Amino acid sequence: MSSLPDPATGLVLGEDGLARPVWAATDPLLREYYDTEWGVPVRDERGLYERICLEGFQSGLSWATILRKRPAFRAAFADFDPDAVAGFGPADVDRLLGDAGIVRHRGKIEAAVGNARATVALRAEGGLTELVWSFRPARTPRPRTAEEVPTRSPESEALSRALRAHGFRFVGPTTMHALMEAVGIVDTHLLGSHRRGSSGVWPEAPEGA
């Protein structure tokens, strides 16, 4: 069993002796995601396209819900192959609206198709990976508590504007900040977490830096 959260930091010390934030401390799926995936750099087109779509589907829902549905999302959206999804038409949207394994929201489904087309079009301008990673800030947050973790930033606002200009949807500043956290562009692991600095993008600075 996990211990109670540290009142000073909000971190929970697991039975394995490792400190995690509350959101990743109890649900086994979220814990595995936190330990192995969240904050690990994603630099391939398909991986970023998938994450943008899933962050959009998550809007208004819990991330645990999206993680549990991710296998069904991958099956429904051709493993998030942008070329394949870009070819989806109205019949595919209707098919997906009938798929109980995913989030059946017409606007989000149509956005995922449109975002695939935008991803393909971006290749002529350097590609999705180059665009998204160009918004990496000069410094990353160093939160000690969950309350200190930002939910948006000037960079996430700029990324949102840039993606919208290229035809992407469901890419608001808060959603894009969550994306930047998830794919390693910023490191918002709490300072006492066992995952802090693990991405290799942001080696942990000495105390006081």
Side-chain angles (χ1 to χ4, degrees):
M1 294 290 291
S2 299
S3 63
L4 294 174
D6 184 312
T9 66
L11 287 166
V12 177
L13 192 65
E15 68 278 3
D16 55 5
L18 301 177
R20 300 175 179 85
V22 171
W23 70 264
T26 54
D27 185 310
L29 185 65
L30 287 173
R31 175 168 160 166
E32 175 71 11
Y33 173 69
Y34 181 80
D35 283 354
T36 64
E37 188 174 351
W38 191 72
V40 174
V42 176
R43 298 182 184 270
D44 66 287
E45 179 190 78
R46 184 182 297 206
L48 284 173
Y49 166 65
E50 175 182 2
R51 296 301 190 87
I52 287 171
C53 290
L54 293 181
E55 292 288 353
F57 274 108
Q58 187 270 332
S59 179
L61 303 170
S62 73
W63 186 243
T65 295
I66 300 302
L67 279 183
R68 290 190 177 94
K69 291 178 176 290
R70 183 154 65 166
F73 273 115
R74 286 176 168 170
F77 286 94
D79 202 27
F80 288 99
D81 176 351
D83 291 292
V85 181
F88 283 12
D92 295 290
V93 173
D94 290 341
R95 169 180 58 82
L96 292 169
L97 283 169
D99 187 341
I102 67 169
V103 175
R104 292 181 287 181
H105 183 290
R106 179 178 291 275
K108 293 177 180 180
I109 291 170
E110 290 177 342
V113 176
N115 291 350
R117 293 170 184 162
T119 296
V120 172
L122 260 177
R123 292 171 187 164
E125 301 181 41
L128 181 63
T129 298
E130 180 177 308
L131 176 66
V132 171
W133 276 86
S134 73
F135 291 93
R136 176 186 166 185
R139 296 174 64 88
T140 191
R142 303 187 75 243
R144 296 181 180 277
T145 66
E147 290 70 28
E148 293 180 3
V149 177
T151 58
R152 60 192 288 165
S153 66
E155 292 81 13
S156 77
E157 292 167 3
L159 173 58
S160 173
R161 288 193 298 271
L163 288 171
R164 284 171 169 166
H166 284 282
F168 287 81
R169 295 167 54 201
F170 283 92
V171 289
T174 301
T175 299
M176 288 303 92
H177 192 272
L179 175 80
M180 295 169 83
E181 293 176 291
V183 303
I185 295 174
V186 294
D187 185 349
T188 57
H189 289 289
L190 301 185
L191 292 184
S193 165
H194 82 100
R195 295 288 293 163
R196 180 73 195 180
S198 61
S199 71
V201 176
W202 299 103
E204 184 57 10
E207 188 70 19

